[in-house]
């Protein structure tokens, strides 16, 4: 199926970024948010899910909560036209659970953009066991049309990037807790020694400590691997509301 009209549910950083990418590559975009947002170019903003009735593809980018996503997919299934692909931008949660909340599980997949979506080249196209070849082909074609580099991946917690990235981030917190080095020292070592664009603590603050904790918890729940067991310091910082850049304080202070 040729995808020309795309619906985006969620107007946070990721949703807005995906809308920008899709519109910039020539797609018509309907962006649904809880509050009315300004529309620009090919993007039409709406507060009503019903406006997605005639889109070819919907990508949801709402809170990383499986119950919320399953309810949304059930609602989208009742609204969207037959043949429309329903996709999730989840970074960790099981796509098959969302697929089975619909009456069209063969038309559900993951299309995982990375933050910031306009700048990051990779898109993980996630195949649950229920997805048809046609659905996956449409998703890959859409990502390619957006100028991205799609990589098809099995529906497994963390997919590729987060399954490899978050043990690294978690173990950086372990080193900090053990007093091996300061956060500044660890960040400098990984940038200077491994050529990473930013160190683990700067990256945790960018991703959000609450999001990072949720990803680690989901990975641990699926695999029971000790590398995925979130370090106590990370959990305590989330409890205290120190979530990173979004709250102006995480491992670093962004208030100045």
């Amino acid at each position: 199926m040729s995808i020309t009209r795309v619906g985006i549910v969620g107007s946070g950083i990721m949703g807005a970024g995906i809308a920008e990418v899709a519109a910039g590559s020539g797609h018509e975009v309907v962006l649904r948010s809880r509050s009315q947002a300004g529309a620009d170019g090919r993007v039409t903003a709406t507060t009503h899910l019903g406006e997605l009735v005639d889109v070819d593809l919907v990508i949801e980018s709402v809170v990383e909560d499986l119950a919320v996503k399953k309810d949304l997919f059930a609602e989208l299934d009742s609204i969207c036209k037959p043949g429309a692909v329903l996709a999730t931008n989840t970074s960790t949660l099981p796509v098959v659970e969302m697929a089975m909340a619909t009456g069209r599980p063969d038309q559900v997949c993951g299309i995982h953009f990375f933050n910031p979506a306009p700048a990051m080249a990779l898109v993980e196209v996630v195949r649950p066991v229920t997805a048809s070849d046609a659905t996956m082909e449409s998703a890959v074609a859409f990502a390619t049309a957006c100028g991205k580099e799609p990589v098809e991946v099995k529906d497994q917690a963390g997919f590729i990037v987060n399954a490899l990235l978050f043990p690294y981030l978690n173990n950086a917190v372990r080193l900090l807790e053990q007093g091996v080095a300061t956060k500044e020292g660890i960040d400098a070592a990984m940038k200077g020694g491994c050529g990473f664009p930013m160190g683990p603590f700067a990256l945790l603050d960018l991703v959000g400590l609450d999001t990072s904790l949720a990803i680690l918890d989901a990975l641990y729940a699926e695999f029971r691997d000790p590398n995925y067991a979130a370090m106590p310091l990370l959990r305590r910082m989330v409890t205290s509301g120190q979530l990173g850049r979004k709250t102006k304080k995480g491992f670093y202070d962004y208030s100045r």
Side-chain angles (χ1 to χ4, degrees):
M1 181 184 68
S2 177
I3 293 172
T4 58
R5 189 168 169 83
V6 180
I8 310 292
V9 181
S11 60
I13 293 172
M14 285 307 304
I18 296 168
E20 180 183 337
V21 169
S25 57
H27 299 86
E28 295 178 40
V29 178
V30 181
L31 176 63
R32 188 265 189 177
S33 63
R34 291 192 177 277
S35 59
Q36 186 66 43
D40 182 38
R42 295 185 178 87
V43 179
T44 301
T46 181
T47 58
H48 304 291
L49 278 178
E51 296 293 327
L52 304 177
V53 65
D54 62 347
V55 300
D56 306 309
L57 165 70
V58 178
I59 304 174
E60 71 78 17
S61 186
V62 300
V63 63
E64 282 285 272
D65 181 298
L66 185 57
V68 171
K69 289 182 185 289
K70 287 172 69 173
D71 287 345
L72 174 59
F73 269 79
E75 190 170 2
L76 289 171
D77 183 42
S78 69
I79 291 169
C80 295
K81 67 184 181 183
V85 173
L86 309 182
T88 174
N89 187 56
T90 186
S91 61
T92 307
L93 297 174
V95 179
V96 70
E97 295 262 5
M98 296 167 235
M100 295 309 296
T102 76
R104 58 177 98 183
D106 59 316
Q107 294 168 223
V108 177
C109 67
I111 302 179
H112 179 216
F113 285 80
F114 289 79
N115 185 29
M120 298 294 281
L122 177 66
V123 172
E124 290 178 321
V125 181
V126 186
R127 182 172 201 145
V129 294
T130 51
S132 69
D133 290 343
T135 293
M136 295 303 293
E137 288 164 7
S138 293
V140 168
F142 167 72
T144 302
C146 288
K148 300 302 183 183
E149 297 175 10
V151 174
E152 190 171 329
V153 58
K154 185 174 74 172
D155 182 20
Q156 176 177 296
F159 313 135
I160 298 169
V161 173
N162 283 351
L164 294 174
L165 175 63
F166 276 86
Y168 154 68
L169 296 177
N170 199 37
N171 280 300
V173 180
R174 186 192 309 277
L175 290 182
L176 182 65
E177 283 196 329
Q178 292 172 342
V180 171
T182 65
K183 59 183 181 289
E184 294 87 356
I186 295 169
D187 276 1
M190 296 311 294
K191 288 192 293 181
C194 294
F196 291 178
M198 64 175 62
F201 295 103
L203 182 54
L204 281 162
D205 281 352
L206 178 64
V207 171
L209 273 60
D210 53 340
T211 301
S212 300
L213 178 60
I215 290 170
L216 283 165
D217 284 346
L219 288 164
Y220 186 75
E222 179 147 332
F223 300 114
R224 299 296 174 182
D225 184 326
N227 277 313
Y228 296 133
M231 295 306 298
L233 175 59
L234 180 62
R235 199 174 296 279
R236 289 185 180 117
M237 290 180 71
V238 171
T239 299
S240 70
Q242 299 177 60
L243 308 181
R245 288 180 178 270
K246 68 177 78 175
T247 60
K248 305 296 184 184
K249 185 169 177 58
F251 286 102
Y252 293 101
D253 188 343
Y254 302 93
S255 60
R256 293 185 295 276

